[in-house]
Amino acid sequence: MNLNEFFYDDPAEKSLEHLAVDGGYCGILRSVACVGDSLDSGEIEIFDAQDKRYCIDKFEYSWLSYFGRVTGNEVRHFTRGGMSAMEYVETFANGHGLWDRKLACNAYVVTLACNDISQMLCGEVEFGTWDDIDFQDYHNNKKTFMGYYATILQRYREISPRCRIFLVLSLMKLEEERLPYFRKIQTFLQELSQKMRFVYFMDLYQNGPVVDEAFTKKFFMNGHMTPAGYLLKGRIFTSYMDYIIRHNLDDFTQIATIGEDLFDPKYTW
């Protein structure tokens, strides 16, 4: 028996070197929610014959639905086209009951950033600093992008105390004016994953495909992905999450006890 056929174990492996076509070890998560925007809602952007624009969220085509089908996990779309961290905290989550403990999951994937950059460019919200985050009490967080983003993580940790959280910058086309904010968010998420336990940053722009003209021609229609693009994204996300689990096995030993009162103190909780 070749164990590598069942558990790929190469310390030098890169994050997207091994494709988890069957969902890999993501299957141990069992319940996963995504906090995101149109790029996580399977949104299709279409212009009709009169050049009128339509944007339709099609959850069945989202990367998360693909992820759920291949892993067998229960998935929850905490997403909507146009979503930002500010809107999520201020109105959307409360308005849709998304802080309800009945919806608690073992893992959360947070992909917000695209619309947040738009808000920062037009002055609706400031980027913020680390001083805007109170890691002991999210009620004290400031109303900046950093403050709102951290609040989302902290609130879901309150609802599901031992959940695992994956932070991602979705694959998107990056115009020149958006690039400085994108780089700041990239750094923020990397550092945030180091400050909070069991939080992992999936850096697709360091390790994933280049979103260039050839990529967008294949996988985008207007400003959003095609169904094939979302499926590709699902394969990428699934493979990256599988890589994180396999390279941090101690962090996932007791994933089955999330939501239970008991856990074994001899192992990583």
Side-chain angles (χ1 to χ4, degrees):
M1 173 184 171
N2 181 0
L3 183 59
N4 259 347
E5 293 183 5
F6 298 88
F7 186 89
Y8 191 69
D9 190 19
D10 180 359
E13 177 192 7
K14 296 181 180 179
S15 54
L16 287 172
E17 184 177 312
H18 184 70
L19 183 63
V21 292
D22 62 352
Y25 283 82
C26 294
I28 69 174
L29 298 175
R30 303 315 299 145
S31 59
V32 181
C34 176
V35 177
D37 53 33
S38 59
L39 295 172
D40 310 288
S41 302
E43 185 163 300
I44 304 300
E45 182 176 344
I46 295 174
F47 290 84
D48 67 13
Q50 286 71 47
D51 205 32
K52 183 177 179 180
R53 180 173 176 257
Y54 295 87
C55 291
I56 309 167
D57 284 349
K58 302 280 285 185
F59 288 153
E60 65 268 35
Y61 286 104
S62 73
W63 74 264
L64 184 64
S65 291
Y66 167 82
F67 173 89
R69 288 191 288 269
V70 298
T71 62
N73 293 333
E74 177 184 2
V75 297
R76 301 184 187 278
H77 289 85
F78 295 173
T79 67
R80 197 201 64 200
M83 188 56 58
S84 67
M86 178 174 69
E87 182 182 356
Y88 197 87
V89 172
E90 293 286 356
T91 59
F92 186 74
N94 277 325
H96 291 77
L98 302 184
W99 305 130
D100 191 331
R101 292 181 186 274
K102 293 179 182 178
L103 300 178
C105 292
N106 289 348
Y108 294 84
V109 183
V110 183
T111 64
L112 298 170
C114 183
N115 298 300
D116 305 86
I117 293 175
S118 298
Q119 289 179 338
M120 285 183 266
L121 282 168
C122 67
E124 286 184 45
V125 68
E126 294 180 4
F127 186 88
T129 70
W130 288 108
D131 290 336
D132 296 340
I133 302 172
D134 183 343
F135 284 98
Q136 304 306 314
D137 185 353
Y138 62 79
H139 292 95
N140 298 324
N141 289 356
K142 300 293 194 304
K143 294 179 180 297
T144 62
F145 168 73
M146 289 179 66
Y148 284 125
Y149 197 102
T151 295
I152 294 169
L153 273 58
Q154 290 170 284
R155 291 207 64 169
Y156 282 120
R157 267 287 163 74
E158 180 180 65
I159 292 164
S160 182
R162 292 185 284 125
C163 68
R164 276 42 175 174
I165 302 175
F166 300 85
L167 312 181
V168 199
L169 285 166
S170 283
L171 295 170
M172 65 184 94
K173 294 179 283 188
L174 292 173
E175 295 85 0
E176 195 67 30
E177 63 173 354
R178 301 170 67 86
L179 203 51
Y181 286 104
F182 175 86
R183 296 300 182 200
K184 287 176 69 175
I185 294 173
Q186 192 177 32
T187 300
F188 166 60
L189 298 186
Q190 178 65 61
E191 294 179 358
L192 185 61
S193 70
Q194 295 166 354
K195 290 178 182 290
M196 296 183 70
R197 197 175 189 193
F198 302 133
V199 175
Y200 313 92
F201 178 43
M202 296 160 51
D203 193 345
L204 297 183
Y205 291 85
Q206 179 68 32
N207 305 307
V210 176
V211 186
D212 56 12
E213 185 176 350
F215 184 91
T216 56
K217 185 176 181 180
K218 282 188 175 75
F219 299 112
F220 276 78
M221 180 172 68
N222 300 313
H224 290 81
M225 290 186 122
T226 64
Y230 289 123
L231 192 148
L232 172 67
K233 184 176 176 179
R235 289 181 172 179
I236 291 170
F237 276 36
T238 303
S239 298
Y240 210 133
M241 292 167 71
D242 167 71
Y243 165 84
I244 288 172
I245 293 170
R246 288 186 291 102
H247 285 263
N248 296 274
L249 274 183
D250 287 349
D251 288 3
F252 294 87
T253 302
Q254 297 197 74
I255 195 76
T257 67
I258 292 179
E260 304 290 341
D261 293 332
L262 292 175
F263 62 92
D264 193 325
K266 296 190 301 296
Y267 296 89
T268 303
W269 60 261

